[in-house]
Amino acid sequence: MHALVKFVAVLCALLLINKYNFNFNLYLLFFILVISFFLKFSIPKLILRLKFFLIITFLLYVFNTPGEYIVLWAYFSPSYEGLVLGTTQIMRLINSVALITMMISFMSYQTLIETFYLIVKPLRPLGIDAKIFAVRLCLTMEYVKTFQSKRKLRFNFNDLSSLLLYSSNKTHRKHTYIEIKEERVNTLSMVMISAMVSITFFVISYI
């Protein structure tokens, strides 16, 4: 299966996650938990990494959504509607991040770069150079790998931005080599991509 098929599948899933509410996201979360068990991918660890973001998001919905109030306080009153919306939004975030993380985790850096290269390549008439984009993406990933290997206590965004800025510099770019294999998207992959996109837009528009 071509990597582009996986990318489009995740993109279609993200659209459906945003379209539907509580029940759909609950079933999808259960499905992701089952799949992650067989793939040995830790969803609880992912949730722990996002815990503060999830908690803040949940509280914002609970205390800022009007409706039938659970307890009536002077300034902040939680509502039942906010509780449902907050829970739904948390499941959306977990589902989205889990799908993207799982896709990236089970793809090599080389495959990921080649996939984004294929996506950006048709945008050349708009002035977007796919090769420069691929180099910048490669440099970003190399920096992240270096950060993970050295286990730094502080993530230096200045160094990361320098890599991204200087990647467009000719002097720096001539020392950066990446090999991109433009694997052709075969007929079966094209059929799968077309089917997924068509079904997704049909479901979003009519169901």
Side-chain angles (χ1 to χ4, degrees), residues 7 112-121 123-124 127-141 164 167-168 173 178 180:
F7 184 87
L112 193 62
I113 291 171
E114 290 171 358
T115 303
F116 277 102
Y117 176 80
L118 287 174
I119 294 170
V120 176
K121 191 177 179 181
L123 302 178
R124 186 178 181 85
I128 301 175
D129 193 324
K131 292 181 180 178
I132 294 178
F133 178 84
V135 170
R136 290 180 178 178
L137 183 60
C138 179
L139 289 172
T140 304
M141 290 181 171
L164 296 176
S167 63
S168 59
R173 196 166 61 215
I178 58 172
I180 298 176

Side-chain angles (χ1 to χ4, degrees), residues 1-200:
M1 182 187 298
H2 197 280
L4 193 59
V5 177
K6 299 176 184 177
F7 184 87
V8 173
V10 170
L11 183 61
C12 291
L14 294 177
L15 292 173
L16 293 174
I17 287 171
N18 186 62
K19 165 71 175 178
Y20 294 104
N21 293 324
F22 187 86
N23 291 335
F24 175 83
N25 282 281
L26 181 63
Y27 295 144
L28 181 60
L29 179 59
F30 177 75
F31 177 75
I32 290 174
L33 287 171
V34 173
I35 295 298
S36 65
F37 175 78
F38 290 103
L39 296 177
K40 297 181 180 180
F41 181 84
S42 179
I43 296 295
K45 187 181 293 185
L46 178 66
I47 294 174
L48 285 175
R49 290 179 180 177
L50 298 170
K51 58 182 180 294
F52 294 114
F53 181 66
L54 295 176
I55 291 171
I56 292 172
T57 301
F58 179 74
L59 293 177
L60 285 173
Y61 273 90
V62 170
F63 289 98
N64 285 281
T65 303
E68 183 182 353
Y69 293 110
I70 302 171
V71 179
L72 193 60
W73 292 334
Y75 299 102
F76 299 101
S77 298
S79 65
Y80 288 105
E81 288 79 3
L83 188 64
V84 174
L85 286 175
T87 306
T88 303
Q89 193 64 23
I90 284 179
M91 288 193 295
R92 280 175 174 166
L93 290 170
I94 294 173
N95 290 339
S96 300
V97 175
L99 286 173
I100 294 171
T101 308
M102 289 170 68
M103 180 190 72
I104 295 175
S105 299
F106 295 101
M107 290 174 64
S108 65
Y109 283 147
Q110 182 69 24
T111 303
L112 193 62
I113 291 171
E114 290 171 358
T115 303
F116 277 102
Y117 176 80
L118 287 174
I119 294 170
V120 176
K121 191 177 179 181
L123 302 178
R124 186 178 181 85
L126 299 178
I128 301 175
D129 193 324
K131 292 181 180 178
I132 294 178
F133 178 84
V135 170
R136 290 180 178 178
L137 183 60
C138 179
L139 289 172
T140 304
M141 290 181 171
E142 286 298 324
Y143 183 81
V144 171
K145 285 195 293 185
T146 303
F147 165 74
Q148 290 176 339
S149 62
K150 291 184 178 180
R151 295 182 180 274
K152 295 181 180 178
L153 295 178
R154 182 179 298 174
F155 191 87
N156 194 333
F157 284 100
N158 291 327
D159 293 343
L160 177 58
S161 61
S162 298
L163 282 173
L164 296 176
L165 290 173
Y166 291 131
S167 63
S168 59
N169 185 284
K170 292 182 179 179
T171 306
H172 183 273
R173 196 166 61 215
K174 69 180 182 181
H175 297 293
T176 305
Y177 299 96
I178 58 172
E179 182 182 357
I180 298 176
K181 298 177 182 177
E182 296 189 47
E183 182 184 350
R184 293 187 61 184
V185 183
N186 56 37
T187 306
L188 178 60
S189 297
M190 286 297 297
V191 170
M192 293 177 67
I193 291 172
S194 301
M196 285 188 294
V197 172
S198 301
I199 292 171
T200 300

